[in-house]
Amino acid sequence: MIICIDVGNTRTKVAVYENGTLQQLVITNNEKLVKNISRQIQGIENCADIILSSVGNLSENTIKSLKTLGNLIIVDHHSSIPFKNLYSTPHTLGIDRIVLAAGATLKYPNQNRLVIDAGTCITYDYINKADQYHGGAISPGIGLRYKSLNDYTANLPLEKISELHPYVGTSTSTSIQSGVLNGVIAEIEAFIDHFEHLDENLTVILTGGNSEFLVNRLKNTIFANPNFLLESLFLLHKHIVSND
């Protein structure tokens, strides 16, 4: 059993893999994390393997408790990775971006890859077919764009994702929807177009909380997997153990 934990900015996901297959996916919070994992490993004979990626705040007590539940690997900037990191400030590269780049490298070998994570922020990460990580971009996610319009203006309401987002908004609400949603879609397509001009044979992976909303609205051919970070943790666990 391999338990993959993704501690994000807004929520924590736990994936349980057995014999290489995803058996269960749990969305929880940090306070209930240890209890949920304890429930998952009840009755198993062998010690569970646990791999953790965190961009959120996880207390030392939680980490100590996780160590009592199994063989814990915490992904950090010193972990073994399957690509060469060419980022000019490698120690500042987010752990989530490292894991996603590793997953793309391991799942799609010998390809140019662009990983787009549409969550709290939208991140873009480019790894070429020589397994060299070059970097990418970070921009505000959909929720942050709505919230900033509400927080930093006097009269604009706080909106949520809507199926209706025509280019010409006929009210304040639909104008916000147009600006935020069409803006995000145009941004993502522009990044994909840029990297496709650099490398025609480009594999694009779209993940994150808003990936399912976006996938059918993008004109480009992409692989959509909202839980790609968890799958990447599973793949990275095997790589780390093999290279330990």
Side-chain angles (χ1 to χ4, degrees), residues 134-208:
H134 287 266
I138 305 172
S139 70
I142 291 174
L144 280 179
R145 298 182 196 215
Y146 285 134
K147 191 172 187 302
S148 65
L149 289 173
N150 177 247
D151 284 350
Y152 294 104
T153 63
N155 298 310
L156 293 181
L158 179 61
E159 295 289 337
K160 295 181 179 180
I161 287 181
S162 171
E163 294 295 325
L164 299 175
H165 46 279
Y167 272 93
V168 179
T170 57
S171 67
T172 298
S173 176
T174 55
S175 294
I176 291 173
Q177 297 292 1
S178 177
V180 170
L181 298 178
N182 291 316
V184 165
I185 292 166
E187 173 191 302
I188 293 174
E189 289 182 339
F191 271 98
I192 295 173
D193 288 345
H194 171 79
F195 285 101
E196 282 183 335
H197 279 103
L198 291 178
D199 298 295
E200 290 183 3
N201 298 317
L202 181 71
T203 296
V204 181
I205 305 108
L206 176 67
T207 189

Side-chain angles (χ1 to χ4, degrees), residues 5-6 18 29 38 45-46 48 55 61 70-71 74 95 122 143 147 156 160 168 170 188 204 219 225-226 235:
I5 307 172
D6 166 25
E18 288 192 78
N29 56 45
S38 298
E45 296 180 1
N46 299 320
V55 297
N61 287 335
N71 303 312
I74 300 175
I95 298 300
I122 303 174
K147 191 172 187 302
L156 293 181
K160 295 181 179 180
V168 179
T170 57
I188 293 174
V204 181
K219 64 184 180 182
N225 181 348
L235 296 171

Side-chain angles (χ1 to χ4, degrees), residues 48-105:
D49 289 321
I50 304 171
I51 184 166
L52 167 70
S53 164
S54 177
V55 297
N57 295 317
L58 207 59
S59 70
E60 286 297 323
N61 287 335
T62 299
I63 293 174
K64 288 179 181 178
S65 297
L66 289 174
K67 289 180 178 178
T68 68
L69 298 178
N71 303 312
L72 178 64
I73 294 175
I74 300 175
V75 181
D76 59 25
H77 293 97
H78 303 289
S79 298
S80 175
I81 52 176
F83 59 86
K84 184 176 182 180
N85 191 347
L86 301 181
Y87 211 49
S88 63
T89 55
H91 60 285
T92 70
L93 183 60
I95 298 300
D96 53 340
R97 297 176 71 189
I98 291 174
V99 172
L100 289 169
T105 302

